[in-house]
Structures are given as structure tokens and as C-alpha cells.
Amino acid sequence: MGDLELLLPGEADVLVRGLRSFPLREIGTEGWNRQHENLEKLNMQAILDATVSQSEPIQELLVTHGKVPTLVAELISVQLWKQKVFPVLCMLDDFKPQNTFPIYMVVHHEASIINLLETVFFHKEVCESAEDTVLDLVDYCHRKLAMLVSRSGQSSPLEEENSQDTTPMQELQKQAELMEFEIALKALSVLRYITDCVDSLPLSVLSRMLSTHNLPCLLVELLEHSPWSRREGGKLQRFEGGRWHTVAPSEQQKLSKLDGQVWLALYNLLLSPEARSHYCLTSFAKGQLLKIPEIWEQLERENKGKWQAIAKHQLQHVFSPSEKDLRLQAARWAETYRLDVLEAMAPDGPRCGYCSAGATKRCSRCRKEWYCCSPTAHRECQVKHWEKHKKVCVLATQDDRAK
């Protein structure tokens, strides 16, 4: 592993071996939360290893222990929960959480898994080890990219100003919407890595991408609308590394990373010999081509008509934690998200929590949020950002005193 290690090799092996799929009813439970924390550690270690160009044991462990299908199943499971259970939960009359942190962890779970898959799917053997679940993953990516295209031309939620009048649940729903955008962009990268493997993909996967979903047309739509680019104040901005950046005039003609992903996927799907060749439709080939993804349909069948019951169960047993439970959870997350690891993962150094400019100063209370370099700008950004940062700051300082 890299010089800065979050996990020792033996620890990573134990965490990967322990990965399993959870029923929808158990999402958000203590066992599920433990696995979510483990996935975050694996995710961060995989990014650290890739950043320093070292060997990548996380990817190797996932393949060795056959856990890539488990990750795909968990990814689709939480997406289904967000689509079917989360809206019902929000409409329950007695659902008035004082703290939305436990629900945010569930909403964030999808982002954690797709980020891990984006990191490891660069390696062809990872894609191959997904086996039949690659069909489900292709469907998942198609849903995300179709959502991006359908929202083109609409006002991006990322452009909205933070309001001090929103309730915790409204703020959570807004954060979930913002997260969807980043998840979709990572799904684009995962799809591109899948198309890199067209020479070894089952016939059913290639047929799914070319015939069922007509992905080349969808990718052309993405190129045309380029949802990761926008004009703000007459300046071109691109979304990279989790934030919008203003593009210098000298850089505007260069292809962005996301544009490049689309072009590479188009090349793989349209010009590779495997994609252009005509398959002999034997009875076996027909059976392979007619295979459909299983995870989404199976989960829907198992839970059909139970969405409200699941929501009520989770309201009573999962998303109404005591103050003690919240503090224990916060302490575990403080241990998971070590500051030195997060700083090492940042591609361009610390950024101001309010204006995203380069930062060298931290919040004087919790020492966890960054602000602008100059004293004047630092104070101005800290004051403007305080309403948003206050809850996290107070919780962090209370936990430190408790220790």
C-alpha cells in the first residue's frame, strides 16, 4: 500500500472478506452502518493507492474474494431504497427527526460504492469478476446517464444558494439531489471502463448496451448537452473533483476528462471489432442475448407492496437514534475520516469551505473546516459559512471534550 496507510494489508483482507448484501429492511441498522464504515475505509485506501501509483491490493482483494458482485448488489439495493422507501419515509406524519445524520449516511452509501467501483473498474479483471451482475451495472449506469440527459437545460441544483430557512429534512433532500449529479458522473466513468472490456463481455451485455439501451445515441446526447460544463458570469466552468472550476481561456479548447470518457466509450461501442461483428444466433447465443438483469427485478419482487412497512419499521428502529447512539456514531466516523487521509486525497490541496479558493486556515473551534488564506477573506468566508458549518462544528467540539 501507499506511504500513507489507512488500512494495513491484513485489515483490508478482513474487511473485504466480510462484505455482504443486506435486505432492504436492514438498511441503516448497526450492522449495515458498520459495513458502510468499512466500505468508506476501503474506498479511501483504494484512492490513496491509485494516487501514489502503488500496487492496488483493494482491487486485488475484491477480485480474489469474489466481492465485486456484492458491491453491485449493494449499489442497486440502496438506489432502490432511495427511490421506493425514502420518499415514503419523508411523507410519514410522525417522521420528524431531530438529526438527519443517520439518513444522510444511507443516502451517501450509493456515492461511496460507485466511487469505489470507479477506482477499481479501471482494471479489466475487476470488470470480468463482476460476472452476470455486469448486466445490472450496465442498467444502473444507463438510468443515471438518462437522468443526466433528461435534466439538461434545467437549472442545476448545484447553482442554488444555501437557505437558512430550510428544515433539516429539506436540507437533506437538497443534498441528496446534489449527490445524484456526482453519482451520475461517476457512473459514466464506470460505463466507459465496462466498454473497455467488450472483447471479453458476454453477448448479453453487448446486446444490452447496443440494442436495448442504444447507448451510442445516449452518449452523443451527453456530448451535445455536456451537463458537466456551464457558463457562469460569462465564464466557462467545468465540474471536476467534486466542484465547479472556472476554465482559463487557454484551456477551453482542451477536452475535459468527462468528455474524454464519452468519446472513449463511443469508440469502444462503435469501432471495436467485437461490437461491429455479427454474432451467429444459435440457440445458445439467443439464450445469452435474452438474459436480463436480475438484482433490481428480484428486489422489487421481494419487496413489492412493502415499501410503507419498511419505512415505518426503519422509522422506529433505525432513524430515531438516541443522543448516545449519535455520539457513538459520530466518534466512529471521526476515526474513519482521519484528517491526514482526507488531505492526502485532495488533488489540489485544501479548499475554502465557502468559496472553494485555496485555503491555509482552519476553523478555530473544531479545526476541521478550511477557509481562505488571507485574514480578511478568511473571516468573511467563515462568517458566511457559519450557519451551515455550525452543527458539525458544535458536534465535533463536544465529542472532543467528551474524550
Side-chain angles (χ1 to χ4, degrees):
M1 293 191 180
D3 293 334
L4 179 59
E5 292 185 345
L6 178 67
L7 297 171
L8 297 173
E11 291 178 291
D13 185 81
V14 171
L15 296 188
V16 171
R17 284 176 181 270
L19 293 176
R20 67 182 182 92
S21 296
F22 284 80
L24 259 68
R25 185 182 175 89
E26 294 182 20
I27 286 179
T29 60
E30 183 177 354
W32 185 94
N33 273 313
R34 289 287 187 182
Q35 176 159 297
H36 177 65
E37 294 163 16
N38 294 340
L39 275 171
E40 284 286 17
K41 293 176 182 177
L42 293 170
N43 186 18
M44 289 189 286
Q45 187 63 62
I47 293 173
L48 287 173
D49 292 337
T51 301
V52 297
S53 301
Q54 297 285 341
S55 61
E56 301 183 24
I58 303 302
Q59 155 250 322
E60 296 168 3
L61 288 171
L62 289 170
V63 173
T64 300
H65 298 308
K67 294 298 183 177
V68 176
T70 303
L71 290 179
V72 175
E74 280 294 279
L75 178 71
I76 294 172
S77 177
V78 76
Q79 185 194 26
L80 187 64
W81 182 92
K82 287 167 64 176
Q83 180 177 319
K84 299 290 189 180
V85 180
F86 185 46
V88 177
L89 193 63
C90 293
M91 290 187 294
L92 294 177
D93 294 335
D94 49 350
F95 183 57
K96 299 176 182 178
Q98 298 300 311
N99 192 303
T100 57
F101 182 76
I103 312 173
Y104 177 82
M105 288 299 100
V106 178
V107 174
H108 186 260
H109 190 62
E110 184 182 2
S112 300
I113 299 177
I114 194 65
N115 194 75
L116 178 56
L117 291 178
E118 181 193 30
T119 303
V120 301
F121 255 67
F122 175 80
H123 304 275
K124 189 173 181 179
E125 62 268 24
V126 177
C127 182
E128 293 172 348
S129 74
E131 301 176 343
D132 288 346
T133 62
V134 74
L135 261 176
D136 297 273
L137 191 54
V138 165
D139 265 23
Y140 171 88
C141 294
H142 174 262
R143 288 192 294 270
K144 294 299 180 182
L145 300 189
M147 178 272 293
L148 270 184
V149 170
S150 68
R151 293 185 179 181
S152 297
Q154 299 178 11
S155 176
S156 170
L158 293 170
E159 299 172 15
E160 298 176 1
E161 294 292 330
N162 291 325
S163 172
Q164 298 180 11
D165 299 326
T166 57
T167 66
M169 278 307 300
Q170 289 172 334
E171 181 66 24
L172 175 65
Q173 289 171 318
K174 185 171 71 172
Q175 290 173 342
E177 189 176 354
L178 303 184
M179 213 177 293
E180 277 297 309
F181 180 74
E182 295 190 53
I183 289 172
L185 298 184
K186 293 187 179 297
L188 170 60
S189 296
V190 171
L191 180 66
R192 175 248 147 154
Y193 294 140
I194 293 175
T195 65
D196 284 345
C197 303
V198 289
D199 59 334
S200 58
L201 289 174
L203 296 180
S204 55
V205 178
L206 204 54
S207 174
R208 194 77 176 172
M209 291 192 291
L210 293 173
S211 302
T212 306
H213 293 317
N214 198 354
L215 282 179
C217 286
L218 182 60
L219 292 170
V220 169
E221 283 284 310
L222 278 176
L223 280 178
E224 181 179 352
H225 296 290
S226 188
W228 45 84
S229 300
R230 71 181 186 185
R231 289 280 175 180
E232 190 74 14
K235 297 181 179 180
L236 176 65
Q237 293 185 335
R238 286 180 181 149
F239 192 82
E240 295 178 357
R243 59 172 65 93
W244 290 99
H245 298 273
T246 299
V247 183
S250 60
E251 301 288 319
Q252 291 184 8
Q253 298 304 314
K254 293 184 178 180
L255 204 65
S256 72
K257 178 181 177 181
L258 289 164
D259 285 307
Q261 296 284 43
V262 178
W263 280 111
L264 287 170
L266 279 170
Y267 174 85
N268 291 335
L269 291 174
L270 295 178
L271 297 179
S272 64
E274 291 78 12
R276 290 187 300 158
S277 62
H278 298 284
Y279 294 104
C280 179
L281 291 178
T282 63
S283 58
F284 172 77
K286 287 181 180 179
Q288 290 287 359
L289 290 171
L290 291 174
K291 287 176 65 177
I292 63 173
E294 299 175 356
I295 298 175
W296 181 276
E297 284 82 356
Q298 180 180 344
L299 287 172
E300 278 202 311
R301 284 196 305 270
E302 292 175 351
N303 298 281
K304 186 176 181 181
K306 301 177 183 177
W307 310 119
Q308 188 167 17
I310 292 173
K312 288 183 176 180
H313 169 81
Q314 293 180 333
L315 167 62
Q316 296 174 5
H317 303 286
V318 179
F319 298 126
S320 300
S322 66
E323 189 70 20
K324 180 181 178 181
D325 291 336
L326 282 173
R327 295 198 180 283
L328 288 173
Q329 183 68 55
R332 290 203 302 268
W333 276 102
E335 182 181 349
T336 298
Y337 286 110
R338 281 169 37 197
L339 192 59
D340 58 339
V341 174
L342 295 178
E343 290 174 1
M345 291 169 60
D348 49 0
R351 291 280 173 176
C352 175
Y354 180 76
C355 70
S356 298
T360 59
K361 298 183 181 295
R362 293 177 178 167
C363 171
S364 59
R365 294 185 60 181
C366 68
R367 308 293 297 168
K368 298 183 185 299
E369 187 63 273
W370 290 88
Y371 293 104
C372 288
C373 305
S374 71
T376 304
H378 161 248
R379 180 60 181 166
E380 181 181 356
C381 288
Q382 189 172 21
V383 170
K384 291 180 178 178
H385 191 57
W386 174 245
E387 283 301 320
K388 183 177 181 180
H389 173 58
K390 178 168 61 175
K391 294 180 181 178
V392 176
C393 185
V394 171
L395 183 60
T397 52
Q398 286 177 345
D399 286 335
D400 290 339
R401 286 197 297 268
K403 293 177 183 177

